[in-house]
Amino acid sequence: MSLSESQRLTGSLKTLLLRGLLAGLIAGLLAGTVGYFIGEPKVEAAIAIEEAQAGGHSHGDEEEPLVSRTGQKAGQFLALGIYGLAIGAIFATVANVARRYTTLPGAQLSLGLAAGGWLAIVAVPFFKYPANPPAVGDPETINDRTWLWVAVVLLGFAAVGVGVYVFKLLRHSLPTLRLIGAVAAFVLVTAVGYILLPGVNEVKSDFPASLLWEFRVASLAETATLWLSLGLAFAALTEFASRGVREKDSAAA
């Protein structure tokens, strides 16, 4: 077996799923850590504003929240850990299919899939409908905003898919031209989708702009950590497995 062949993404679907689950769990816990230390202070500040707008005091007949803020802070590690496991399993399944259509080494394929997933699920939706903290948003429009988010995620997948298709279509061109073509196709599809989808702006004029910006940056950092960690962890596990195969082949020779 040559070096390039040993670096390919190999193993059964079960092996890849176990690898994806482990990578996803690591990614989820790291994202939870970022959310705890960077995002939670912004959430606390937004909640304080929400309570101040509501009068700054609670009434005796109001129900206490089912989960305290302390429980919510700790619970995000559990929630993101479970989410990471789910995303890791999906990631491994996609990698199992994608390896049949590419000659990329396993580590590069892993990082490429993570980048594509982040673009489709996080970046494209974020720059059209960015995350908002508590005290922002009309509860009566939550269903409409949910469907718009689903639509923009589908737009993200379409944009990434078209970009990959154009990149493969230009396989006989110079690498730089292939990349330019793929990026141009991605941007074009995204721009058309942004124009067709309606805008949503429910931020009140008196909400602190600095807090809104900091919350959105923290949200983006959390999701970026998830996808970057997922790609790196899956790539590292893939390289460890490839090295084990090479060492086994060397010993047998």
Side-chain angles (χ1 to χ4, degrees), residues 233-244:
F234 197 92
L237 293 171
T238 297
E239 289 187 333
F240 288 148
S242 298
R243 185 174 64 179

Side-chain angles (χ1 to χ4, degrees), residues 171-185:
R171 57 184 175 274
H172 299 302
S173 302
L174 295 173
T176 303
L177 292 179
R178 294 182 70 190
L179 183 59
I180 292 173
V183 172

Side-chain angles (χ1 to χ4, degrees), residues 64 141 177 205:
E64 293 294 327
T141 64
L177 292 179
S205 59

Side-chain angles (χ1 to χ4, degrees), residues 12-64:
S12 64
L13 176 58
K14 179 181 178 180
T15 299
L16 296 182
L17 283 174
L18 291 174
R19 192 180 301 170
L21 289 172
L22 178 56
L25 178 61
I26 294 172
L29 294 177
L30 288 175
T33 302
V34 172
Y36 185 87
F37 288 104
I38 299 179
E40 282 300 326
K42 309 304 182 295
V43 174
E44 291 284 1
I47 290 176
I49 293 175
E50 186 177 33
E51 291 176 346
Q53 292 175 346
H57 62 276
S58 60
H59 301 282
D61 57 348
E62 288 185 353
E63 296 183 359
E64 293 294 327

Side-chain angles (χ1 to χ4, degrees), residues 142-160:
I142 188 170
N143 289 332
D144 293 336
R145 287 185 280 119
T146 299
W147 284 112
L148 287 175
W149 181 84
V150 172
V152 80
V153 169
L154 294 177
L155 169 65
F157 279 115
V160 171

Side-chain angles (χ1 to χ4, degrees), residues 91 108-119 227-232:
F91 186 90
Q108 292 184 23
L109 176 60
S110 303
L111 295 175
L113 289 177
W118 181 79
L119 284 172
W227 282 97
L228 179 60
S229 300
L230 176 60
L232 288 174

